Amino acid sequence: MTEDEEEPSSQEQGFHLLLMSPQIFATQSLPDVGTVTIGRSSKCVVQIEDPLVSREHARLHVRAAADGLSLSIEDTGSANGTRVRDAAIKAGEEVKFQVGEAVIVGSTLMMALPNRASAGPRRLWSHAYFEARVE
């Protein structure tokens, strides 16, 4: 790495969680390593306003692994369950999943995705500029 290159921040190297349901479309940053609680409760790190999600529905684990980071989900005994690869997981069972793979809690689909580096500032061109280019 040369002096001109910057070390990517952990935010750029880590993951974020994409949440999609009839009520929401949102993202939530995930820690570099650690456990994140998921549910309707305000105590949860990932709070989901979905009537089919329990107050403390699941735990998402981000761990260091030999080939990078490992992701797994654990259902905490929720009323409506957690699904990975379209299969319900048992309460207390920890199931690994891949980046981009769907995890369903209640009626909410979650997907862990890698963070991207910022494209940096962009220049906005005026309408007059485009008219001049067309002429």
Side-chain angles (χ1 to χ4, degrees), residues 33-127:
V33 291
T35 300
V36 174
T37 54
I38 300 167
R40 279 193 345 259
S41 170
S42 61
K43 296 177 185 176
C44 291
V45 174
V46 178
Q47 189 175 357
I48 301 174
E49 294 299 325
D50 178 342
L52 298 177
V53 171
S54 297
R55 285 186 295 269
E56 291 185 20
H57 196 101
R59 288 185 203 101
L60 188 145
H61 305 281
V62 182
R63 294 190 176 101
D67 58 346
L69 293 175
S70 166
L71 299 166
S72 62
I73 189 96
E74 172 188 1
D75 188 273
T76 58
S78 65
N80 293 305
T82 303
R83 301 181 75 77
V84 177
R85 291 179 286 284
D86 207 29
I89 62 173
K90 296 176 185 172
E93 179 183 12
E94 194 174 320
V95 175
K96 287 187 177 187
F97 65 97
Q98 300 298 314
V99 171
E101 192 168 26
V103 175
I104 299 171
V105 295
S107 64
T108 302
L109 182 133
M110 302 186 311
M111 205 178 285
L113 298 171
N115 292 332
R116 296 183 300 160
S118 173
R122 293 183 174 203
R123 183 171 183 178
L124 298 176
W125 300 97
S126 69
H127 183 71

